Amino acid sequence: MVVTTSWYLALAAVLFSMGAVGLLTRRNPLIMIMCVELMLNAVNLTFVSLGSELGDLGGQLSVFFVLVVAASEVVVGLAVIVAIMRRRQGATVDDLSVLRG
Amino acid sequence: MDAAVFLISAAIVLAGAGGVLVARNPVHAALFLVQTLFGVAVLFVLQDATFLAAVQVIVYAGAVVILFLFVIMLLGVDRAEDLGVEPIVGQRPVAAVVGASLLGMLLIALLVSVDGPTGAHGANAPLGDAADNTRRLGEALFTDYVFAVELTAILLTVAVIGAVVLARRVRGPLAPLPIVVVTSVADDGAQGDDGTPDVTGVTGGDDEGEGA
Amino acid sequence: MLDLVWLVPAFPLAGFLILTFGGRRLGEPAAGWLATGAMAGSFLATAGAFYDLAGRDVHDRRSVTTLFEWVPAGDLTVDMGFLADPLSLTMCLFVTGVGALIHLYSIGYMHGDAGFRRFFAYLNLFAFAMLMLVLGDNLLLTFLGWEGVGACSYLLISFWFTDEANASAGKKAFITNRIGDWGFMVAIFMTFATFGSVAYVDVLDTTAAGTVATSTATFIALMLFVGAIGKSAQFPLYLWLPDAMAGPTPVSALIHAATMVTSGIYLLTRVNPIIADAADWVPTLIAWTGAGTALFAATIAVAQRDIKKVLAYSTISQLGYMFLAVGCGAYVAAVFHMITHAFFKALLFLGSGSVIHGMDGDQDMAHYGGLRRFMPVTAGTFVVGWLAIAGVPPFAGFWSKDEILAFAWNESPLLWLVGLVTAVLTAFYMTRLVILTFFGRHRYADPRPDEVEEAWASAIAAADEAVVAASAALDAAVAASEAATDEPGAAEALVAARAAHEAAVLERGGIVASAGERPELPALALYGAPEVGPVADRLPDEVATRSGHHPHESPWTMGLPLVVLAVLSVLGGLIQLPFSAATKRLEGWLEPTLFGNEVHLSVGTGTLWVLAAVAVAGGVVGILVAVAAYLQRRVDHRSFEQPILADAWRFDRLVSNFMGGPGRAGFEATADFDSTVVDGAVESVATMVKAEARLLRRFHNGLVRTYAAGIGVGAVGLVVWFLSRTSF
C-alpha cells in the first residue's frame, strides 16, 4: 500500500482532536500545556506532509518557526504557572477563578 | 515497507497521545509526551525532513519536556489528579462533542474531496532528498527568511527574560541587580537569597513571599 | 387705539404681578385701590377700542392685533393675537366695567381679612384670564383663558381654605370644570385636523363659506358644547356652582354670576357658523338642555334657606335661558341677556354680600326679616335687581327675557312653555327672598331651635339635680332618724324630707311632660316669635346679645357699586328695544360676528305683544303668590318648600354616592392598570435585560476550562461554516 498524504493528514487530525479533548478535560495546568504541544505537533505533521506533497520547502520552514515559537511559549507559560501555583500544592486550574463575573 | 513504518509510528504517536490524556501522574504524562514526539520524529524522517526530525528530538523532547519535568518537580504537582470527578458541569460532554466534530469534519474534508488535498504550488525552494535537506533548509532560512530568523532570536531572548522576571520571588521592594562579588563562597550566596536572579532556573526552597 | 387692545388684559396682569411680588409693602387698603385702578384702566382701554371700532365702517369691524408667534410647531402655528370685533369688545366692556365695580366693593367687604392682598391679586389674575379668553384670536388662547379662569375660580372659592368645606368646594369646581375642558380640548384637536389652523379668522371664514362636512361640524360643535356645559354650569355639570358659594361674596358676584359662567355662551356664540353647519339636532339639544336646566334649577331655588344658594340656583337657571337662546339661533338675545344678567345678578349678589356683612356673616334667611329699616341703600338697590330679574317692565331683565321667550315660541311652543313656567318660578322665589330678607318681622333676635333645645335640656337637667339632692336629703334624714329614734325633730325632719322628695319628683315629671308635649318650632317664624314657654329664662346668652345688636348698613365703597349697578339694571334694556330696527342697537352692532346665522322671527307683531303680556302676567302671578305666602300668610309657605327641593332633587347625593362607590372602584382599577400594565410593560424591558444578564453571567465563572470550551465550540462553528461554503 502506498502511503498517501491523506494518511498523514488523517493521523494529524486524530492527534489534533485528541489534544483538544485533553485540553478541555484535564485540570492540571502542566498536562494542559502538554496537550497544546500535541496539537502543535499535529499541525507540524500537516505542514510537513503537505510540503512534501507539493514539493515545497515552505512546509518545513513553517515547522521550524512553529517549533521556535512553541518552545518560547512553553517557557513563558511555565514561568507564569510557577508564579501562580507555587503557593499551594496540588492546585488545579479550577482554583484560579478570580476573573469570575 | 513505508506503510508498515507509518503504521507502527502512527500507533506509537496515538498511544502516546492517549497516555497524555489519561495519565494521572504528570510525570507519566510527560513521558508519554516524549513517546509521541519520538513517533512524530520518525514520521518526519519518513517524509525526508531529516533536519526537522533531529530538531524535534533535540529541542522538543530534549529541552521542552525536560523543562516540564523541572517544573513538575519544583511545584510538587506530581500528585495524582482525580480523573473520575469533573467539577464543571457539562465539560466532558462539551469536550467530547468538540473533539468528535473536529475530527469528523477534518476527515470529511479529507475523504469527500475528489482530488485529494491540493494546494497552490509554493514559491519556495523545491524539496530535495533527505541528504540535502539540511543544506536547503539552511539556505532558505538565511537568505529568504533571514528577517524571520532574527525575529525569532529576539523572541527567544524576550521569552527568556520574561520567564525570569515572571518566576522570581520578590520580598519587599525590588532590590537592584547585585554585582556578583566573589568575596566568600561560604556566604549565603546560592541559597534562596532574595533579589538575586539566577539565570539558569528558578530558585527553589522556602515557600514564603509572594510570587511576582 | 385698536392697536393697543393688548392693554386691556395687560392692566390686570400688571396688577397681579405687582400685588404678588411687591404687595406686602402696599398693605390694606392700597392693594385694593391698585387692583381697582388696574380694572378701571382696562375699562378705559376697552372703551377706547370700542370707540375706534364703532367709528369704522360696518363691514370693516374686525381687527386682529398680533403680538408675537406663540407656538411655532411644524404645521401648527398659533399667534399671541387679539381679535377686536363687536362681540369680544362688548364682552370686554361689561367684564371690565362690572369687574371694576366689584373690585371697589371688595375693598369694603374684605376689610380686616388677613388675605386682603392675596384676594386682590387673585381677582386681577382672574380678570386677566377672562380677558384673554374673550380677546384671544384663536381657540388655543381662548382655552388658555378658559383654564386660567378655572384655576382662579379654584383659588378664590377656597380662599378661606383653612376650613375643609371651602377647600373641597374649590376642588369640586375645578374637577367638574375639567370634565368640560376635555370636550373643549377634543374640539381643538378636531378643529386643527379639519382646518389646519385654530385661529378664528381662518376657522369661521372657512366654515361660513360652506366647505365643512356636516359630521365634522357636528362633532366640533358637540365637543364645544360639552366644554360650555362644564364652564356654564348646565345639567349635569352644574354641581359645583352651589358649592362655590363657599367663596367670598364678591367672588360669587364676579365669577359665578357675571363673567366666568358666561364664557360658555360666549364660546358658542363665537363659533356660530360651526353650529349652523352642524346637524339640526345639535341646536335643539342645546336649547332643551338650557330649558331643562333652567326649570330644574328654578324648582330647587324655591326651597333654599341660604341666601347665596338661592342666587346660585338662580344663576344656573338664567344661564339655562341663555343656552335656550343659543339653541334657538337667537345669539343676539343670548348676548343681551348675558349683559343684563351681569348687571342685575351682580347687583343681587353684591346686595346679598352687603346683607351678610351687616348680619356679621349669617347667611340663613330664617334669621333675617325686616332688614330694610337698617339697610335702606342695600334694600332699595336690591328691590331694583329683584324687579329686573322677575321680568317686570321697564327694567332690563324684562326686555332680554322676553326676547328669549319670543324666539323660544318661534322654535317650539313647548320650549316657550318651559321658559314661561321658569319665569313664574323665578318671580316667585326672588320675591320670597326679598320678603324674607327685607320685609316682615325681625327674626334676628328670635331664639333659634337649637338654643330652645338647649334651654329645655338645661331645665330637665336642673330638675334631675333637684331630684338627686332631695333623695340625698331623704337618705340623710332616714339615716338620722334610724340613728336617733328618740329625738322628736328627727321624725319631723324625715317627714319633711319625704315631702320635699315627692315634690321634686313631681316637678321633674311635669317638666319632662311639658318638654315632650311642646309644639315643633317652625323653620321660618313668619307669624310671630316662637313660643318658648317655661324655659324662657334658660335661653343661652347669645339670644340676649343678638337682640341688643342691630344689623348695620355698609360703607360707601360697597354702596356705590350697588347704586351704579341698579341704574344699569334700569337702563340696560335700552340697547335692544324690539320696537324697530333702529332701536335694536345690539343686533346691528353684533351683526358682523354672526355671519347671518341669526334666526329671524317668523311671528307677527301681534303675537309678540300677546307673548309679552303673558310673560308679564306670569311674573306678576309669581310675585303675588309669594306675597300671599310669605307676607300676608294666606297660603302655607311650607307647601312650596318641599324637602326634596331643598335637597336639590338628591342629584348631588346620587353623584357623590356613585363617585364614592363604583366611581372610586373604577378610578382605583384605572390606577392599578396604570401601575401594573403600563408601568409593568416599561419595567418588563428592564426586567428582561436583567434576566438575560443573569443568564449570561453564568458563563463567566472565571474558569479557564470553560473559556477553553467556549473557544472550542466557536472553532467547531467556524469550521462548519467554512466547510459548508466549500465546494469539493
Side-chain angles (χ1 to χ4, degrees), chain C residues 434-700:
Chain C
V434 169
I435 293 174
L436 283 179
T437 308
F438 294 108
F439 294 91
R441 50 177 296 275
H442 306 301
R443 287 188 298 278
Y444 65 88
D446 289 347
R448 300 193 182 151
D450 54 324
E451 291 167 346
V452 173
E453 282 289 331
E454 210 181 306
W456 277 105
S458 85
I460 294 177
D464 280 342
E465 273 177 29
V467 167
V468 168
S471 310
L474 178 61
D475 290 340
V478 164
S481 71
E482 280 175 2
T485 44
D486 51 338
E487 281 219 19
E492 284 148 14
L494 183 61
V495 169
R498 279 223 174 87
H501 183 250
E502 287 268 349
V505 171
L506 270 177
E507 177 142 356
R508 181 183 175 281
I511 288 185
V512 169
S514 319
E517 286 167 5
R518 73 178 191 276
E520 181 97 20
L521 280 178
L524 278 178
L526 291 174
Y527 307 117
E531 285 295 318
V532 182
V535 295
D537 48 344
R538 288 196 174 276
L539 289 171
D541 296 329
E542 287 95 43
V543 182
T545 38
R546 271 207 309 275
S547 56
H549 173 83
H550 298 297
H552 57 275
E553 181 60 272
S554 307
W556 73 270
T557 47
M558 290 167 69
L560 179 64
L562 290 176
V563 171
V564 172
L565 286 171
V567 170
L568 287 170
S569 299
V570 173
L571 299 176
L574 287 175
I575 60 176
Q576 176 79 356
L577 292 173
F579 299 121
S580 72
T583 53
K584 290 190 189 178
R585 295 199 184 88
L586 187 64
E587 185 167 335
W589 171 247
L590 285 178
E591 194 201 319
T593 60
L594 292 176
F595 297 92
N597 290 319
E598 176 83 4
V599 163
H600 294 290
L601 278 178
S602 57
V603 291
T605 327
T607 322
L608 285 177
W609 278 108
V610 170
L611 291 174
V614 171
V616 172
V620 169
V621 162
I623 294 175
L624 290 176
V625 171
V627 167
Y630 291 97
L631 199 56
Q632 296 170 336
R633 310 170 207 158
R634 280 198 292 204
V635 179
D636 188 3
H637 66 93
R638 283 177 292 217
S639 56
F640 298 111
E641 295 174 11
Q642 297 297 325
I644 192 173
L645 295 181
D647 206 10
W649 297 96
R650 301 202 193 105
F651 184 68
D652 200 358
R653 193 168 307 186
L654 184 73
V655 171
S656 300
N657 289 345
F658 173 74
M659 288 300 171
R664 163 152 295 179
F667 303 147
E668 281 179 7
T670 313
D672 284 341
F673 180 79
D674 179 49
S675 64
T676 49
V677 175
V678 176
D679 286 353
V682 173
E683 282 171 19
S684 72
V685 175
T687 315
M688 259 195 322
V689 171
K690 234 185 357 178
E692 264 184 58
R694 203 178 295 132
L695 180 67
L696 287 176
R697 204 169 24 148
R698 292 219 310 240
F699 290 108
H700 284 263

Side-chain angles (χ1 to χ4, degrees), chain C residues 304-345:
Chain C
Q304 298 299 311
R305 266 173 56 170
D306 186 334
I307 188 173
K308 283 178 72 173
K309 286 259 182 353
V310 176
L311 292 175
Y313 283 107
S314 171
T315 306
I316 300 175
S317 185
Q318 297 300 310
L319 289 167
Y321 268 117
M322 294 180 221
F323 272 84
L324 169 61
V326 166
C328 295
Y331 297 103
V332 175
V335 174
F336 185 27
H337 199 60
M338 201 190 331
I339 299 173
T340 56
H341 177 262
F343 295 151
F344 59 69
K345 194 46 70 64

Side-chain angles (χ1 to χ4, degrees), chain B residues 86-88 91 94 97-98 101-102 105-106 108-109 112-114, chain C residues 701 703 705-706 708-710 712-713 715-717 719-720 723 728:
Chain B
E86 169 61 78
I88 300 178
Q91 182 78 355
V94 168
V97 164
V98 166
S101 39
L102 271 178
M105 282 186 293
L106 289 171
I108 286 172
V112 169
S113 56
V114 173
Chain C
N701 52 11
L703 294 172
R705 299 207 286 140
T706 319
V713 169
V716 168
V719 174
V720 168
L723 260 189
F728 295 98

Side-chain angles (χ1 to χ4, degrees), chain C residues 234-235 286-299 320 324 415 418 422:
Chain C
Q234 297 299 290
F235 188 92
I286 298 176
W288 275 102
T289 307
T293 308
L295 185 60
F296 179 78
T299 54
L324 169 61
L415 273 177
V418 172
T422 310

Side-chain angles (χ1 to χ4, degrees), chain C residues 54-332:
Chain C
R56 284 193 182 189
D57 186 60
V58 173
H59 303 288
D60 192 26
R61 291 207 182 130
R62 177 202 276 182
S63 158
V64 178
T65 312
T66 307
L67 286 183
F68 54 87
E69 195 177 62
W70 182 31
V71 178
D75 286 337
L76 175 67
T77 51
V78 180
D79 294 334
M80 176 72 68
F82 300 105
L83 173 65
D85 72 352
L87 178 62
S88 57
L89 284 183
T90 310
M91 297 254 342
C92 282
L93 272 178
F94 80 79
V95 166
T96 50
V98 174
L101 286 171
I102 294 179
H103 275 73
L104 177 63
Y105 179 92
S106 308
I107 298 176
Y109 190 82
M110 299 298 288
H111 170 70
D113 193 295
F116 189 85
R117 174 185 66 95
R118 182 166 58 104
F119 185 76
F120 281 100
Y122 288 160
L123 270 189
N124 265 11
L125 181 66
F126 168 82
F128 165 71
M130 186 71 202
L131 291 167
M132 290 301 289
L133 194 159
V134 171
L135 280 174
D137 77 336
N138 55 70
L139 275 171
L140 202 59
L141 267 180
T142 302
F143 190 64
L144 171 77
W146 193 271
E147 295 288 289
V149 298
C152 291
S153 171
Y154 162 76
L155 288 171
L156 285 165
I157 292 173
S158 45
F159 186 71
W160 293 310
F161 53 80
T162 44
D163 186 350
E164 173 84 36
N166 297 341
S168 300
K171 279 187 280 189
K172 186 172 179 176
F174 192 77
I175 291 174
T176 316
N177 258 303
R178 218 72 188 103
I179 300 174
D181 292 348
W182 164 83
F184 198 143
M185 280 193 265
V186 172
I188 295 181
F189 302 153
M190 195 64 187
T191 307
F192 175 64
T194 312
F195 298 95
S197 154
V198 291
Y200 288 128
V201 174
D202 299 331
V203 171
L204 297 177
D205 286 351
T206 313
T207 314
T211 54
V212 178
T214 308
S215 55
T216 315
T218 305
F219 183 75
I220 296 178
L222 263 182
M223 286 296 114
L224 288 174
F225 179 54
V226 169
I229 290 180
K231 194 62 87 182
S232 297
Q234 297 299 290
F235 188 92
L237 296 177
Y238 72 92
L239 297 166
W240 61 272
L241 192 50
D243 284 15
M245 298 297 116
T249 309
V251 168
S252 308
L254 181 62
I255 299 183
H256 306 125
T259 47
M260 182 178 103
V261 290
T262 56
S263 345
I265 294 129
Y266 165 75
L267 181 70
L268 290 179
T269 309
R270 174 62 78 196
V271 298
N272 62 77
I274 298 182
I275 298 180
D277 267 5
D280 283 336
W281 53 268
V282 173
T284 313
L285 175 70
I286 298 176
W288 275 102
T289 307
T293 308
L295 185 60
F296 179 78
T299 54
I300 299 176
V302 163
Q304 298 299 311
R305 266 173 56 170
D306 186 334
I307 188 173
K308 283 178 72 173
K309 286 259 182 353
V310 176
L311 292 175
Y313 283 107
S314 171
T315 306
I316 300 175
S317 185
Q318 297 300 310
L319 289 167
Y321 268 117
M322 294 180 221
F323 272 84
L324 169 61
V326 166
C328 295
Y331 297 103
V332 175

Side-chain angles (χ1 to χ4, degrees), chain B residues 28-47:
Chain B
H28 296 171
L31 292 174
F32 277 121
L33 183 64
V34 170
Q35 176 184 333
T36 305
L37 295 173
F38 265 118
V40 171
V42 171
L43 288 172
F44 282 169
V45 170
L46 266 183
Q47 307 226 15

